[in-house]
Amino acid sequence: TYNTILIETDARGVATLTLNRPDKHNALNGELIAELYDAAEKLAADDDVRIVVLTGAGKSFCAGGDFNWFASNVEKTRSERVAQSATLARLLRRLDTLPKPLIGRINGPAYGGGVGMISVCDYTIGAEGARFGLTEVKLGLLPANISPYVVARIGKVHSRETMLSGALFDTARAERIGLLTEVVAPGDLDATVNRVVHDHLQAAPGAVADTKALIAYVASHDLETNMIYTADRLADAWETEEGIEGINSFINKGVPSWRVK
């Protein structure tokens, strides 16, 4: 039981993880960060969960850091402030390395840490009319913990364009710079999420987890190292139950057990 999030899992193994502080525009505070981390750990370990959809309750996706949380941290000691900051870093890392697809259902505005939450998703669908901003500099702060994920998502050039002014931008620009994968009318959001979820349900869960780890490794190593690593990974895949079933299903014109109609 959580106070700041909701989790619902359907028969297909699709878990919807909802930020549930609508009166605060789902702003991140200590409790929400802790509960999200705990939920992410459980979802990662649950073999019955194949996909996670991340969204927000109410009109906003996530307004970033809660100002009361910010203010409380100002009063803490240096070591306590570092510890509090690190909780957000650990949450983002846990979501980024989730061994299953993380689909962002971006139902409304996202600022600061909310943009960071979008950036760790594997596929993001935004509702037209939403606004976004990396607004930390307007408060005399830095987009510190989210920066590794935002820069990886939108690149160095777009990060400078958006982070250094803190100016807001719309869904068209969010899609153009790569923050959003798709932009749809608000009334089409759920149908689009369902389409994307269905596409991901055609993939073997173990292969998805291994491929997500593969992408992270390849992106951070040189070509020579990657040649050795990838040769091993493909050889490993040929030996897995999924790999054997998938190859046999293709040869025999069958349907592997993991595919959902």
Side-chain angles (χ1 to χ4, degrees):
T1 301
Y2 298 109
N3 295 320
T4 63
I5 60 174
L6 299 172
I7 303 176
E8 294 180 1
T9 305
D10 67 20
R12 302 171 299 171
V14 179
T16 300
L17 176 57
T18 305
L19 312 182
N20 192 34
R21 298 185 74 212
D23 56 323
K24 300 296 183 181
H25 298 280
N26 302 316
L28 300 166
N29 64 2
E31 184 178 27
L32 177 53
I33 290 170
E35 291 191 345
L36 275 173
Y37 185 89
D38 184 76
E41 285 279 87
K42 289 181 170 64
L43 292 168
D46 190 344
D47 291 338
D48 291 331
V49 173
R50 293 183 57 181
I51 296 171
V52 179
V53 176
L54 180 64
T55 192
K59 296 180 179 180
S60 298
F61 174 69
C62 177
D66 186 294
F67 286 104
N68 290 326
W69 182 55
F70 285 163
S72 69
N73 288 324
V74 169
E75 303 301 321
K76 290 181 170 63
T77 65
R78 168 73 180 178
S79 62
E80 288 172 334
R81 288 197 296 272
V82 171
Q84 278 294 296
S85 178
T87 62
L88 178 57
R90 285 194 294 270
L91 169 62
L92 293 167
R93 177 66 175 166
R94 175 67 279 188
L95 291 173
D96 186 61
T97 58
L98 200 70
K100 44 203 78 181
L102 181 61
I103 310 300
R105 179 188 179 275
I106 314 306
N107 56 298
Y111 308 114
V115 175
M117 298 285 284
I118 296 173
S119 297
V120 297
C121 292
D122 301 306
Y123 198 107
T124 53
I125 305 140
E128 287 177 349
R131 302 277 280 175
F132 307 92
L134 291 148
T135 55
E136 287 85 351
V137 291
K138 290 184 175 182
L139 302 172
L141 302 174
L142 296 82
N145 290 311
I146 67 173
S147 61
Y149 308 100
V150 176
V151 174
R153 181 90 187 190
I154 67 176
K156 181 179 176 180
V157 171
H158 295 310
S159 294
R160 287 183 171 184
E161 291 172 357
T162 53
M163 289 181 180
L164 299 185
S165 69
L168 302 186
F169 53 96
D170 60 15
T171 49
R173 187 177 182 191
E175 184 178 25
R176 187 168 64 250
I177 67 178
L179 182 63
L180 296 179
T181 313
E182 293 188 54
V183 175
V184 299
D188 295 331
L189 187 58
D190 286 332
T192 306
V193 170
N194 285 334
R195 171 180 58 77
V196 172
V197 164
H198 179 267
D199 289 343
H200 283 78
L201 286 171
Q202 308 314 301
V208 167
D210 290 343
T211 298
K212 198 162 177 179
L214 172 76
I215 293 167
Y217 188 95
V218 167
S220 59
H221 290 78
D222 61 77
L223 181 58
E224 294 298 322
T225 304
N226 282 333
M227 288 174 63
I228 298 170
Y229 177 82
T230 55
D232 285 342
R233 296 294 75 75
L234 182 55
D236 291 342
W238 283 334
E239 299 172 5
T240 65
E241 291 183 6
E242 286 182 349
I244 294 168
E245 181 183 354
I247 292 169
N248 287 336
S249 295
F250 182 82
I251 292 172
N252 298 315
K253 297 182 171 28
V255 178
S257 57
W258 57 77
R259 290 193 184 170
V260 175
K261 293 183 179 180

